[in-house]
């Protein structure tokens, strides 16, 4: 292969690589929260669940609104009873039609009937409680949807801070990589001058390779964290990677947070509404033993011809019905509803106590995280000073190479630990705010 072909091949490879390179998108936390509200699948699922519960509640309007049915029926019959009744409905019955021979063996008779039926509930006590249960269930799902949004906002904030931390880690290793290579160059010069052994050079080379490997892992972690963030936003990151427009702060801001559990927290309110729904279902099952009162009516039009309306009539009435005994079906249904209600009460109380435990635990974690930040910052400053002293002594030939590498490793480790402690404090603070919202 000649040189021209080699250059063409390399050029095509670079074009292909650049064509598939990932775009880095700078994004702020506010942008993420906006996209979360518009695109997140979990929020959409919660909203659809609420709409389903709302539709169940809308069905209970049938408790007050009439049921109207319109039908049109056409028949042809030689059945004696049907033939006689059809003529009677059409108001065309004559004296000869009472001839026993015609009554027993009538000719084919046609009948076309238009019928409008109306059923109107009047008193259905069990249905009223059932409607109240559906309303409480709908309110519970609405509160759950709002709490889901709050939780996902916390999740996005955490993912955003993790992305900030990942970029910070990349910078730490990039700085460590530059420092390591500078030390390697210095050691190689000392080796050439006969001031150091070959093992010293090899030790530094091993350390430089380790840092290079850690840097690659840190860059991969940036991609992984970006993908997690994209999942929350329901976006594809095949050809793009997120970069936070705000950098992770290396210090913390201590704020006073209300650490008491609020009864108005949306998830607790949702549990209470769910309990109310079970209570209303229990009451509905009890009221099922009471009679029901319903009105009904119909208007009918008959003719022997299609679409004819030569005869008409109406029917109105009311019905009081009482299911006295149904083989313990209603009793069993009531017992089940009572058990479900009592179970919901216990679950709500348990959830409140678990929430209080989580709140107490998180409050202690926040204090621990604050202390950890202060100690990790002190350790970082001390490790930086120790490395600076060892590096100066090394250039003067007063320190071993292994001591310098150990000091450098410790400094990088302490810087990463400090960044991690800042992340933990900031997230714990946001989580505590979430628990007390």
């Amino acid at each position: 292969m000649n040189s021209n072909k080699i250059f063409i091949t390399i050029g095509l490879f670079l074009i292909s690589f650049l064509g598939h390179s990932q775009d880095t998108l700078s994004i702020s936390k506010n942008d993420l929260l906006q996209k979360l509200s518009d695109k997140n699948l979990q929020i959409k699922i919660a909203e659809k669940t609420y709409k389903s519960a709302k539709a169940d509640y809308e069905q209970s309007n049938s408790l007050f609104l009439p049921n109207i049915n319109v039908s049109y029926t056409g028949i042809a019959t030689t059945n004696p009873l049907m033939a006689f009744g059809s003529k009677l409905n059409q108001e065309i019955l004559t004296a000869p039609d009472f001839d026993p021979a015609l009554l027993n063996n009538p000719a084919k008779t046609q009948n076309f009937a238009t019928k409008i039926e109306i059923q109107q509930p009047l008193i259905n006590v069990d249905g009223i409680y059932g409607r109240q249960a559906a309303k409480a269930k709908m309110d519970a799902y609405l509160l759950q949807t709002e709490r889901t949004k709050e939780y996902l906002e916390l999740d996005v904030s955490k993912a955003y801070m993790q992305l900030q931390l990942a970029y910070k880690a990349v910078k730490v290793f990039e700085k460590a990589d530059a420092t390591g290579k500078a030390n390697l160059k210095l050691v190689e010069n000392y080796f050439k001058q006969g001031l150091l052994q070959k093992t010293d050079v090899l030790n530094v080379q091993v350390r430089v390779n380790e840092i290079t490997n850690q840097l690659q892992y840190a860059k991969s972690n940036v991609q992984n964290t970006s993908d997690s963030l994209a999942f929350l936003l329901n976006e594809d990151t095949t050809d793009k990677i997120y970069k936070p427009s705000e950098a992770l702060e290396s210090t913390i801001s201590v704020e006073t947070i209300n650490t008491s559990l609020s009864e108005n927290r949306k998830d607790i309110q949702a549990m209470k509404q769910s309990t109310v729904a079970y209570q209303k279902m229990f009451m509905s099952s009890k009221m099922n033993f009471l009679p029901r009162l319903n009105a009904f009516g119909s208007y009918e039009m008959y003719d022997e011809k299609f679409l004819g309306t030569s005869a008409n009539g109406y029917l109105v009435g009311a019905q009081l019905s009482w299911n006295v005994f149904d083989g313990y079906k209603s009793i069993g249904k009531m017992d089940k509803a009572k058990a479900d209600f009592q179970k919901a009460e216990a679950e709500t109380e348990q959830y409140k106590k678990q929430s209080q435990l989580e709140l107490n635990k998180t409050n202690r974690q926040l204090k621990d995280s604050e202390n950890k930040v202060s100690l990790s910052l002190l350790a970082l400053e001390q490790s930086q000073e120790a490395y600076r002293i060892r590096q100066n002594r090394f250039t003067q030939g007063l320190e071993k190479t292994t001591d310098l590498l150990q000091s450098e490793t410790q400094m990088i480790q302490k810087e990463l630990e400090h960044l991690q402690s800042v992340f933990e404090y900031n997230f714990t603070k946001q989580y505590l705010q979430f628990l007390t919202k």
Side-chain angles (χ1 to χ4, degrees):
M1 183 182 291
N2 57 37
S3 59
N4 289 336
K5 290 183 178 180
I6 292 175
F7 286 133
I8 292 173
T9 302
I10 294 175
L12 291 174
F13 173 80
L14 290 175
I15 291 173
S16 175
F17 177 79
L18 293 174
H20 291 84
S21 62
Q22 290 184 315
D23 295 328
T24 300
L25 302 179
S26 178
I27 191 166
S28 67
K29 186 176 177 180
N30 290 334
D31 293 336
L32 290 177
L33 294 177
Q34 181 61 44
K35 287 187 176 184
L36 175 73
S37 178
D38 296 337
K39 296 185 177 182
N40 182 265
L41 293 177
Q42 192 170 344
I43 290 179
K44 291 181 179 181
I45 292 172
E47 289 175 344
K48 297 304 179 183
T49 303
Y50 163 69
K51 288 184 178 181
S52 176
K54 183 179 180 181
D56 287 338
Y57 175 65
E58 290 172 347
Q59 291 180 42
S60 67
N61 288 331
S62 61
L63 185 66
F64 308 106
L65 300 178
N67 179 30
I68 302 175
N69 182 48
V70 179
S71 64
Y72 187 79
T73 307
I75 64 170
T77 182
T78 58
N79 179 282
L81 183 61
M82 294 294 294
F84 184 84
S86 296
K87 287 185 178 182
L88 186 62
N89 284 332
Q90 294 171 21
E91 301 177 2
I92 58 173
L93 201 64
T94 61
D97 291 318
F98 288 91
D99 183 354
L102 292 177
L103 287 174
N104 292 324
N105 190 21
K108 182 179 74 171
T109 303
Q110 294 187 152
N111 185 35
F112 295 92
T114 301
K115 187 174 184 180
I116 302 174
E117 293 179 288
I118 300 177
Q119 295 175 328
Q120 176 62 58
L122 296 179
I123 301 176
N124 293 279
V125 182
D126 61 328
I128 294 175
Y129 282 105
R131 176 179 170 84
Q132 293 174 355
K135 177 65 165 57
K137 178 183 175 183
M138 180 186 71
D139 293 340
Y141 277 119
L142 178 60
L143 290 166
Q144 285 182 359
T145 300
E146 293 174 352
R147 187 60 175 176
T148 298
K149 291 179 180 179
E150 292 177 351
Y151 173 77
L152 288 170
E153 287 175 358
L154 173 70
D155 220 11
V156 164
S157 296
K158 180 181 180 181
Y160 189 72
M161 288 190 293
Q162 286 175 330
L163 190 61
Q164 291 174 321
L165 180 63
Y167 273 99
K168 274 284 191 179
V170 169
K171 289 185 177 180
V172 169
F173 284 117
E174 285 176 342
K175 183 175 65 175
D177 185 57
T179 302
K181 289 177 179 178
N183 288 336
L184 177 60
K185 185 176 180 180
L186 180 63
V187 169
E188 287 175 340
N189 289 334
Y190 285 167
F191 172 70
K192 291 176 183 179
Q193 297 172 21
L195 300 176
L196 293 175
Q197 301 294 323
K198 181 65 175 179
T199 54
D200 294 316
V201 178
L202 293 175
N203 285 335
V204 176
Q205 286 177 338
V206 169
R207 179 56 185 162
V208 169
N209 291 337
E210 288 178 351
I211 294 175
T212 302
N213 190 42
Q214 290 172 333
L215 176 59
Q216 181 57 45
Y217 274 112
K219 290 180 178 179
S220 296
N221 190 42
V222 168
Q223 179 66 71
N224 294 335
T225 309
S226 179
D227 289 347
S228 299
L229 193 56
F231 171 76
L232 290 173
L233 303 178
N234 192 27
E235 291 189 349
D236 185 17
T237 59
T238 304
D239 297 319
K240 61 186 176 183
I241 185 171
Y242 291 121
K243 183 176 182 180
S245 57
E246 305 103 346
L248 180 68
E249 296 292 336
S250 58
T251 58
I252 62 172
S253 57
V254 180
E255 300 176 7
T256 302
I257 300 175
N258 178 19
T259 56
S260 59
L261 182 66
S262 174
E263 290 285 336
N264 295 324
R265 211 173 73 179
K266 291 184 176 62
D267 54 340
I268 295 177
Q269 287 294 312
M271 292 288 290
K272 289 182 177 180
Q273 284 298 315
S274 179
T275 302
V276 170
Y278 280 110
Q279 181 187 30
K280 297 301 182 182
M281 289 302 297
F282 172 50
M283 294 300 298
S284 175
S285 64
K286 290 177 66 176
M287 296 301 107
N288 191 46
F289 294 97
L290 298 179
R292 300 179 180 87
L293 179 62
N294 299 292
F296 60 88
S298 65
Y299 181 75
E300 304 167 6
M301 294 175 286
Y302 301 96
D303 204 296
E304 62 179 343
K305 296 180 180 179
F306 180 64
L307 297 181
T309 58
S310 61
N312 58 71
Y314 70 86
L315 172 70
V316 294
Q319 182 186 49
L320 180 67
S321 61
W322 194 350
N323 190 355
V324 179
F325 183 72
D326 58 2
Y328 279 97
K329 181 180 179 180
S330 295
I331 296 175
K333 184 179 179 181
M334 183 185 68
D335 291 340
K336 181 179 184 299
K338 181 180 180 180
D340 289 340
F341 167 53
Q342 293 173 341
K343 176 185 174 183
E345 281 187 317
E347 288 177 341
T348 300
E349 187 64 24
Q350 181 188 43
Y351 186 79
K352 287 169 60 178
K353 291 182 177 180
Q354 286 179 335
S355 299
Q356 185 64 59
L357 285 175
E358 182 69 12
L359 181 59
N360 296 339
K361 175 184 174 183
T362 306
N363 190 35
R364 288 189 291 267
Q365 286 178 338
L366 182 66
K367 295 178 181 178
D368 293 340
S369 298
E370 182 182 344
N371 184 56
K372 185 177 179 180
V373 170
S374 301
L375 294 177
S376 64
L377 178 59
L378 179 61
L380 172 60
E381 293 172 348
Q382 291 171 342
S383 64
Q384 288 173 337
E385 180 63 17
Y387 176 73
R388 185 189 65 80
I389 294 173
R390 287 189 182 276
Q391 189 177 41
N392 290 338
R393 288 173 58 83
F394 179 76
T395 57
Q396 298 171 12
L398 301 176
E399 287 286 347
K400 296 179 181 179
T401 306
T402 53
D403 293 335
L404 178 66
L405 294 178
Q406 182 179 2
S407 181
E408 179 197 13
T409 302
Q410 185 184 52
M411 180 181 66
I412 296 172
Q413 180 183 354
K414 294 305 177 183
E415 185 169 4
L416 292 174
E417 287 178 358
H418 176 63
L419 292 174
Q420 179 68 28
S421 65
V422 171
F423 163 79
E424 290 175 358
Y425 175 82
N426 288 332
F427 173 71
T428 304
K429 183 172 67 174
Q430 289 194 10
Y431 185 50
L432 187 60
Q433 292 171 342
F434 168 75
L435 294 176
T436 56
K437 183 178 290 186

